[in-house]
Amino acid sequence: MTMQTVRDVMTTNVVYLPSETTLAEAARTMREQNIGDVVVADGPGLTGMVTDRDIVVRAVAERCDPAATTIGEIVTRDLVTVRPEDSIHTAALLMRDQAVRRVLVCDDIQGLVGIVSIGDLAEEIDPDSVLGGISRSAPNN
């Protein structure tokens, strides 16, 4: 049995938005793309990541105007990364240790090549678990 790697489960369709994007625009993009995060990039470098939860907890709960507040104002700059060849168990342990639900997948040549979520790992590590079942379910729009 071969060890499953991050490359086997990562999402390669990474959505990038500039930091001046409003929260409302970012939320619409997430809804249209059926994703829970966007990578914030200004030019060639990564600024950070914003998740749907960030929008709610850091902005909406603080009564920020989603039409006027930008993702650059709430971006998470401390990014947790793994390599494509890392095992999925290594990624899961890192998520646990860093208390994050997503990690960026980076290599030395291309830089950012994907994202792995806790749901991606749950489907692979324990597909019969409740979390694995939830992760496989179609989203409720």
Side-chain angles (χ1 to χ4, degrees), residues 63-91:
R63 295 190 171 105
C64 296
D65 179 357
T69 306
T70 67
I71 59 176
E73 295 174 63
I74 67 162
V75 65
T76 298
R77 294 180 188 280
D78 296 330
L79 300 173
V80 179
T81 64
V82 293
R83 300 178 61 74
E85 62 272 9
D86 288 343
S87 74
I88 60 174
H89 291 282
T90 297

Side-chain angles (χ1 to χ4, degrees), residues 18 38 45 51 62 67 69 96 102 109 112 124-125 127:
V38 294
T51 68
E62 297 296 326
T69 306
R96 181 197 66 192
R102 295 171 178 86
I109 298 168
L112 179 61
E124 291 300 320
I125 293 172

Side-chain angles (χ1 to χ4, degrees), residues 18-48:
S19 60
E20 67 268 8
T21 304
T22 66
L23 300 180
E25 292 173 65
R28 281 191 293 275
T29 298
M30 289 181 199
R31 180 187 64 203
E32 291 163 4
Q33 298 290 322
N34 191 27
I35 56 176
D37 58 78
V38 294
V39 172
V40 182
D42 294 305
L46 299 180
T47 302

Side-chain angles (χ1 to χ4, degrees), residues 10-15 33 35 113-115:
M10 70 183 188
T11 299
T12 57
N13 185 24
V14 179
V15 175
Q33 298 290 322
I35 56 176
V113 295
I115 297 176

